Amino acid sequence: MSTPTIQDHQAIDTDEDPQLAAERELARQVDAMLDNGSLGGTAAQFAQPRGADLLRRTEPVEAWHKARSADGLWQYARSLDGAPHPIASIRDEAGNGARGINFASQDYLSLASHPQVADAAARALREAGPHSAGSAVLLGNTRTSLALEEAIAGLVATEHVALFPTGWGAAFGAITALVQAQDHIVIDQFAHASLRQGASAATPNVSINRHLDVGHVRELLGAIRARDTAHGILVVTEGLFSMDSDTPDLAALQAVCHEFGATLLVDVAHDLGAMGPGGGGCIAQQGMLGRIDLVMGAFSKSFASNGGFVATASRSVKRHLQLYAGPHMFSNALSPVQSAVILECIQIIRSDEGDALRADLMRNVDGLRAHLAAEGLHCMGIPSAIVPVLIGSEKVSRLTGKLLFEQSVFVNQVEFPGVPVGASRLRLQLMSNHNMQQIKRAAPIIGQTVARARDAIAAGEARRRQ
Ligand SMILES: Cc1ncc(COP(=O)(O)O)c(C=O)c1O
């Protein structure tokens, strides 16, 4: 028998079962990724660089990014061509483009593409121009922003509302304005970075409660009050947790706060508008509208805009926020276009059409969760526009994210600092305008891709141990 030539080898390769060839190619890529470190490490390693040169000491994180990016494993800073529709064109940071099913945008009620919202924006642009020309305390308010304050007060049944240019600013501004250094904060371990960073900036007296654990909050409050009855305590939680899609028992939490003379702040960024009767979010769902001390929210998920608010029953609290919350006092107010867009969204959210949009959204949510469960995937939390799929290993979720992008299914792959190290997940976000066909098409791709990524990483690591 003659020795095979190079040409014979090529013939053998082309005859290979395409699926086997794809797995062989994936194994080759995984080996290369494991060798060059692009699957390893987490952003936690680079968070606190050391050295005297503030600029040069950032270089290690860029080297790590470069390795990941070269292997298609950098999930951040992708860009969208056009509006955040369920079918969208996306480009990654390295410039690779794809068009496919989009579970990575936050526009829960699809109001960013609602014609009434577009008209409201165009009208405001014509009538008041594109920007606010001042902070909210220095002539940055407009007729529309004042109407928006009233509309938010109606939506959350809490009389006094201060607006902020971002949800981030509302969270950080409210906490740092209300809490002094001698006061205390008790905050859920999975609270959003804006709340955690606000807490750290306000006081060194920060206690972290186990996620959703009201008993633990009670314990912490009891311990604080046993040694300090002279200072204030702020308890901080979310209506719907942004990475876990779960919700605390708000009535129990508010009762415990009052028992110990503490104040409760609930961040409703993800649930207000998209959930609950009349779009009142988890607070309305739990029958607590108008009964929470401080309600803070963002307009960036269900209100087709940027911006945030804090609502309170107290006129003096609003006055205090106006004077001492930095992002309210010292940052330009929401633009007239933003205010008009949010106002229009609230009108839709509180109408029959709002009920229909929430019903469409929940039909999609229930459908996606059921189809992912059928693929053997665990969806965390309660049904909401956020569907987190716990993966754990950053390596597996990174590879899954890359392979899904290549198959035109777009999800956000989340890891530290979004979630703790080792608790990586895929975060899918739904919109009213998704349809069941897209969901049915995507779910098996997601299920098979997670399994394929897990197997490929396990096999690659086993080869390295040999
Ligand atoms: C729970 C929570 N609070 C606050 C914010 C900040 O809101 P924004 O992005 O609108 O500034 C976010 C945004 O991701 C969030 O998820």
Side-chain angles (χ1 to χ4, degrees), residues 4 15 21 35 51-52 62 144 207 222 225 243 250 288 337 383-384 415:
D15 285 347
D35 282 345
E62 182 54 15
T144 324
S207 308
R225 279 298 177 232
M243 295 294 170
L250 293 172
M288 289 295 288
V337 174
S384 82
E415 56 181 71

Side-chain angles (χ1 to χ4, degrees), residues 196-399:
R196 282 187 280 117
Q197 291 188 21
S200 305
T203 172
N205 306 325
V206 178
S207 308
I208 295 170
N209 69 270
R210 285 190 296 272
H211 185 48
L212 304 183
D213 189 338
V214 182
H216 193 209
V217 172
R218 162 184 279 279
E219 232 174 80
L220 293 168
L221 291 178
I224 293 167
R225 279 298 177 232
R227 58 179 199 277
D228 183 356
T229 51
H231 296 102
I233 312 175
L234 184 68
V235 173
V236 180
T237 191
E238 295 182 18
L240 179 78
F241 278 82
S242 62
M243 295 294 170
D244 302 82
S245 186
D246 50 14
T247 183
D249 181 339
L250 293 172
L253 209 48
Q254 184 64 85
V256 168
C257 286
H258 286 171
E259 192 184 327
F260 289 93
T263 299
L264 179 63
L265 182 149
V266 180
D267 178 344
V268 295
H270 287 272
D271 49 305
L272 189 69
M275 297 172 78
C282 289
I283 294 180
Q285 232 167 25
Q286 297 187 29
M288 289 295 288
L289 265 190
R291 296 165 65 194
I292 301 291
D293 294 326
L294 293 166
V295 181
M296 177 249 119
F299 301 126
S300 49
K301 329 292 175 191
S302 300
F303 300 83
S305 183
N306 293 341
F309 72 90
V310 178
T312 161
S314 155
R315 182 183 294 278
S316 61
V317 167
K318 174 174 174 179
R319 187 73 60 210
H320 185 87
L321 292 175
Q322 285 177 320
L323 281 172
Y324 304 111
H328 181 89
M329 172 67 128
F330 294 110
S331 189
N332 239 39
L334 288 175
S335 76
V337 174
Q338 289 175 313
S339 294
V341 161
I342 302 160
L343 196 55
E344 191 66 37
C345 287
I346 293 175
Q347 272 156 25
I348 297 169
I349 280 167
R350 299 193 75 180
S351 70
D352 291 348
E353 186 184 357
D355 289 337
L357 290 171
R358 280 185 290 280
D360 288 348
L361 174 64
M362 284 316 286
R363 184 206 58 223
N364 291 335
V365 169
D366 291 340
L368 181 62
R369 291 179 76 99
H371 283 284
L372 290 176
E375 295 298 320
L377 294 174
H378 169 60
C379 301
M380 302 165 73
I382 59 169
S384 82
I386 302 165
V387 179
V389 177
L390 188 61
I391 302 291
S393 149
E394 284 81 11
K395 291 190 181 94
V396 174
S397 72
R398 273 176 214 164
L399 184 59

Side-chain angles (χ1 to χ4, degrees), residues 81-152:
D81 281 341
H85 292 305
I87 300 292
S89 296
I90 287 183
R91 200 164 290 283
D92 71 13
E93 205 197 27
N96 305 304
R99 184 166 175 77
I101 307 176
N102 176 19
F103 297 115
S105 289
Q106 311 192 117
D107 182 27
Y108 298 153
L109 297 179
S110 296
L111 291 176
S113 48
H114 194 293
Q116 261 169 256
V117 173
D119 286 349
R123 242 185 350 262
L125 185 61
R126 270 197 314 275
E127 288 169 10
H131 91 142
S132 59
S135 98
V137 291
L138 295 177
L139 211 52
N141 284 336
T142 58
R143 199 160 21 94
T144 324
S145 72
L146 297 182
L148 175 58
E149 287 178 1
E150 273 186 38
I152 291 290

